[in-house]
Amino acid sequence: MRDSQLFGHVTAVAPGKVNLSLRAGPLRPDGYHDVATLYCAVSLYEEVTASPREDDAITVTVSERSVFTGVDLLDESTGERVTGEIPLGASNLAYRAAALLRDRLKGRRAGVLSGPWEGSAPAGWGVDLTLVKNVPVAGGMGGGSADAAAALVACSALWDAGLSKEQLAEIGSELGADVPFALMGGAAAGQGVGDELSPLLHRGELHLVIAPASVGLSTPGVYRTLDAMRERAGVQADTPELDPDLVRAVSRSDAESLSALMVNDLQAPAVSRLPELDELMDLGLSEGAMQGIVSGSGPTVFFLAHDAAHASQLATSLEERAEVWAIPVTAPAPGARLLAQK
Ligand code: ATP
């Protein structure tokens, strides 16, 4: 008997991430940039519940329990806010993850491939996915990718696929580098276009404060601004390399050393779009943060704190002194996992 016949629905969680450092190389002829980055999963989790359907449809709903249900996006050319909505159809990353997994399982079932789940046959291949979004949307924290990772874990259990995390990561990599990272969690060096992941062995814990913005930025748009800024300044970017001291500091959770090594090449273009981010980072530093930078393509800013008490005190003073919401988190957080089957 399959799990999903025993259990009506399956819930999985997957973490959002910050980039403790991100260096971007020059624009490549294919439109991408080489990066050297340090991904770090944080204790803010997206939750995805997969419920079986009798038919073949995949549906996506954003739960009312979500902290973030959408975000305004900053229009690249006009600089104006446009209402951004989370797509609920075939472009939603959770939908795409479920569809990819289903295609792979159907392929196996048809005997195209062989594997542990050969012959398993869900009543319907459809699934209702309900997302609880706790990671800021379009915030440079990989929330959509965490949804995809959680959907892979939940659907894999629902369809009794018997797949390892590594196998799910290989499927998820088709949706972008952040998906395998959200499955694995922890900390990892990312090279290539961010897709060559090297997990870091780490000990200890870092304490961060996440400050989401009230508006989102498009990742390709931020890269375009970076290229334009470099061109105007006549700067030729070097091939990015990972700093071994940074890797050492993260694997030891050495906040002191890390604070001097955190850097993000996408920060200047993000700030050029949203100058208030600079004020927020200055405020955090004046309130005692060890360091504060933009995560990924932004606009989420995160601060490094000495310990849990310091993080909570920093979050309170940021909320009191600026009109922001500040969330203390721990890192590196574990990757995607099953939460419940009912
Ligand atoms: P990235 O850095 O991967 O570009 P991000 O972390 O800044 O992304 P996400 O919250 O992952 O931001 O979403 C970016 C965009 O992706 C959204 O504006 C939305 O249009 C689209 N999207 C697709 N699937 C999802 C999802 N499950 N949740 C949120 N947004 C999604």
Side-chain angles (χ1 to χ4, degrees):
M1 184 179 279
R2 296 184 311 115
D3 279 358
S4 55
Q5 288 170 309
L6 282 171
F7 305 106
H9 53 255
V10 184
T11 299
V13 290
K17 57 86 188 163
V18 294
N19 299 74
L20 293 172
S21 172
L22 193 162
R23 309 253 49 166
L27 177 65
R28 305 192 319 195
D30 64 1
Y32 288 94
H33 295 75
D34 282 319
V35 299
T37 188
L38 230 151
Y39 296 108
C40 188
V42 300
S43 59
L44 263 192
Y45 297 94
E46 296 283 269
E47 190 183 300
V48 174
T49 297
S51 311
R53 290 175 64 96
E54 291 300 318
D55 62 14
D56 276 0
I58 297 176
T59 70
V60 179
T61 315
V62 176
S63 161
E64 286 176 3
R65 286 200 291 123
S66 297
V67 174
F68 301 96
T69 51
V71 71
D72 286 353
L73 290 169
L74 214 55
D75 185 90
E76 223 181 297
S77 42
T78 63
E80 279 171 18
R81 282 174 178 245
V82 276
T83 306
E85 275 168 27
I86 297 168
L88 298 179
S91 62
N92 189 289
L93 282 164
Y95 181 112
R96 291 177 63 199
L100 258 181
L101 177 65
R102 185 174 69 173
D103 289 350
R104 293 289 276 267
L105 298 181
K106 276 184 169 176
R108 294 240 173 169
R109 197 182 145 215
V112 177
L113 301 160
S114 59
W117 60 91
E118 201 172 16
S120 71
W125 282 100
V127 61
D128 291 321
L129 300 170
T130 307
L131 319 182
V132 181
K133 297 199 59 72
N134 297 316
V135 174
V137 178
M141 289 191 64
S145 301
D147 293 336
L152 284 173
V153 170
C155 290
S156 167
L158 187 73
W159 292 328
D160 205 15
L163 292 176
S164 67
K165 256 197 188 177
E166 285 72 20
Q167 287 170 305
L168 292 179
E170 189 250 306
I171 296 172
S173 65
E174 290 186 34
L175 301 173
D178 287 356
V179 180
F181 179 69
L183 280 159
M184 298 305 176
Q191 286 171 290
V193 290
D195 57 332
E196 294 164 20
L197 292 178
S198 316
L200 252 65
L201 288 175
H202 60 86
R203 59 168 194 260
E205 208 170 41
L206 292 167
H207 297 272
L208 308 174
V209 175
I210 307 285
S214 63
V215 69
L217 288 175
S218 121
T219 304
V222 174
Y223 272 103
R224 276 194 291 273
T225 309
L226 172 71
D227 296 332
M229 288 173 86
R230 283 175 169 170
E231 201 177 320
R232 272 200 304 275
V235 171
Q236 181 63 41
D238 295 327
T239 305
E241 280 175 21
L242 266 177
D243 181 347
D245 288 341
L246 172 77
V247 174
R248 214 167 294 124
V250 175
S251 49
R252 292 178 183 161
S253 296
D254 174 357
E256 204 61 55
S257 305
L258 177 61
S259 66
L261 299 166
M262 283 162 55
V263 62
N264 183 358
D265 286 346
L266 297 179
Q267 181 162 307
V271 169
S272 80
R273 303 277 188 82
L274 287 171
E276 61 266 37
L277 296 180
D278 245 352
E279 289 156 36
L280 178 61
M281 287 184 279
D282 286 347
L283 177 66
L285 294 177
S286 71
E287 292 296 317
M290 301 172 75
Q291 186 56 278
I293 64 169
V294 164
S295 174
S297 54
T300 303
V301 164
F302 69 97
F303 297 97
L304 182 62
H306 291 283
D307 51 33
H310 182 215
S312 126
Q313 179 200 331
L314 179 61
T316 307
S317 30
L318 281 167
E319 289 193 344
E320 277 170 9
R321 304 243 354 244
E323 289 210 348
V324 292
W325 189 22
I327 313 160
V329 297
T330 54
R337 63 184 190 276
L338 274 179
L339 202 64
Q341 296 183 313
K342 285 185 189 154

